[in-house]
Amino acid sequence: MRATVLHAPRDIRIEERDDPAIAEPTDALLRISATCVCGSDLWPYRGINDVSEPMPIGHEYVGVVEAVGDDVATVRPGQFVIGSFVASDGSCPHCRAGYQTACMHRQPVLGAQAELLRVPLADGTLVSTPDQPAAELIPSLLTLSDVMGTGWFAAVTAGVGPGSTVAVVGDGAVGLCGVLSARQLGAERIIAMSRHEARQKLALEFGATDIVSERGDDGVARVKELTGEVGADATLECVGTDEAMRQAIRATRPGGTVGFVGVPHGVRIGGEDLFRTHVGVRGGPAPVRHFLPELIDLVWRGRIDPGKVFDLALPLDEVAEAYRAMDERRAVKAFLRP
């Protein structure tokens, strides 16, 4: 099969690799219908995360089941399925509590930017759609594998609900999906923090009521100004840098909550910072498997269209350009079709 391999920073290649096969009775084998580049893939691509040897890459996927192991009961060959970027058994205490990315038997799902993918723990990881989806639904269904589920988790953990005032730090695909999630959950006011005109436009389309282009102290001051010096009830931190986290905490009112889903790089929060603010901080790797049934239903019924975050579509053979475009911020998110 053709598969994407990261050899070194900014050295991404399509290679011929052995087809995956069923290795455990709990596995499923998928033929990938669509995949994409995630913002978190840019950390190793840029060399911020160490790349010591060639590694298959990609963790967002939708596809058709080709084969299943003997113990798989909930999906079958021929079904169109969506899965999480973390495989989970669905039965451990953490899975039952809705935190499948903390599963006691979790395994990463890697190598999805390819033609075929082996998914471990299929019963606890994959969810089928009601039927074969129309082509126009596939981009939105693909977002549920990570970015839409992650934006939704940020909003849920931050306590977004009817009448909330929400600030969203980050205008990448996750942040934009966070805006869409906040609107769907009933937020009354949604402040999107973005400097980029195209992303601002999509944020407004997804439900943002205000745009703040300032960052750092100036960004916090602008949020406070917009909220009568109160701050946001809930803030979604969708970047993962120290500046973004500090901005999120300081933009939140006392008693509010920050839902943080940006993969942390250099984030340092002191106890004093939290103690004096009365701001709660919750988040982590999003348990997208927990939300898949609800989000699939919303997409299927046309209630949400998160696939609009894809502003670049390329064949898998042009994956190197997909990475370059996202690295250079020429694209919000690149859609890849094998």
Side-chain angles (χ1 to χ4, degrees):
M1 69 171 182
R2 292 173 300 138
T4 305
V5 180
L6 179 64
H7 283 256
R10 292 186 165 80
D11 181 5
I12 198 99
R13 310 177 196 175
I14 284 288
E15 298 182 352
E16 288 291 331
R17 297 176 66 88
D18 291 341
D19 289 356
I22 299 295
E24 300 290 339
T26 52
D27 289 348
L29 182 64
L30 307 188
R31 180 161 296 278
I32 298 297
S33 300
T35 182
C36 54
V37 180
C38 183
S40 63
D41 293 331
L42 297 180
W43 296 109
Y45 177 77
R46 291 167 172 163
I48 297 170
N49 290 1
D50 183 51
V51 181
S52 58
E53 60 184 18
M55 54 179 278
I57 195 167
H59 56 265
E60 297 167 281
Y61 57 96
V62 294
V64 177
V65 178
E66 289 227 327
V68 297
D70 290 343
D71 291 349
V72 175
T74 63
V75 296
R76 62 182 185 275
Q79 286 185 313
F80 189 93
V81 296
I82 306 162
S84 169
F85 54 88
V86 172
S88 54
D89 63 16
S91 60
C92 82
H94 304 325
C95 288
R96 293 198 302 271
Y99 284 85
Q100 287 88 340
T101 42
C103 175
M104 297 171 73
H105 304 103
R106 65 188 178 274
Q107 299 179 47
V109 178
L110 298 172
Q113 291 164 13
E115 293 180 300
L116 296 166
L117 179 68
R118 183 182 75 89
V119 178
L121 303 172
D123 278 343
T125 306
L126 300 174
V127 179
S128 63
T129 55
D131 204 340
Q132 295 294 321
E136 59 268 23
L137 286 184
I138 288 178
S140 284
L141 293 171
L142 177 58
T143 67
L144 309 187
S145 185
D146 187 348
V147 291
M148 182 62 201
T150 295
W152 190 270
F153 178 61
V156 169
T157 57
V160 176
S164 297
T165 293
V166 180
V168 181
V169 180
D171 63 357
V174 171
L176 292 166
C177 287
V179 170
L180 182 57
S181 300
R183 183 187 68 177
Q184 188 67 29
L185 290 167
E188 182 176 315
R189 191 169 196 180
I190 304 170
I191 303 167
M193 309 191 82
S194 171
R195 294 179 175 179
H196 300 271
E197 184 177 353
R199 299 176 188 222
Q200 293 172 352
K201 182 178 179 181
L202 186 54
L204 291 169
E205 185 176 347
F206 276 179
T209 56
D210 303 270
I211 300 292
V212 169
S213 59
E214 296 87 348
R215 289 185 180 176
D217 292 343
D218 291 339
V220 171
R222 183 67 179 132
V223 172
K224 292 291 183 69
E225 180 184 351
L226 288 170
T227 58
E229 300 305 318
V230 174
D233 300 314
T235 301
L236 316 187
E237 193 286 298
C238 305
V239 181
T241 64
D242 191 58
E243 178 189 47
M245 179 62 85
R246 291 181 182 279
Q247 183 172 310
I249 291 172
R250 292 170 56 221
T252 308
R253 67 164 176 80
T257 303
V258 173
F260 77 103
V261 294
V263 180
H265 286 75
V267 176
R268 297 288 183 270
I269 305 174
E272 189 76 11
D273 296 331
L274 294 179
F275 187 77
R276 299 294 179 189
T277 62
H278 293 282
V279 170
V281 177
R282 297 185 61 202
V288 299
R289 172 60 184 84
H290 179 67
F291 304 114
L292 275 175
E294 180 179 8
L295 294 179
I296 289 171
D297 180 66
L298 289 172
V299 168
W300 206 261
R301 292 188 292 118
R303 296 286 301 278
I304 58 173
D305 187 10
K308 290 179 179 179
V309 297
F310 293 111
D311 55 350
L312 178 64
L314 294 169
L316 183 63
D317 287 341
E318 296 181 32
V319 66
E321 169 57 18
Y323 273 83
R324 284 192 296 268
M326 287 183 61
D327 179 41
E328 297 165 7
R329 291 181 71 82
R330 291 186 284 112
V332 176
K333 193 166 180 66
F335 179 90
L336 297 167
R337 191 178 293 278

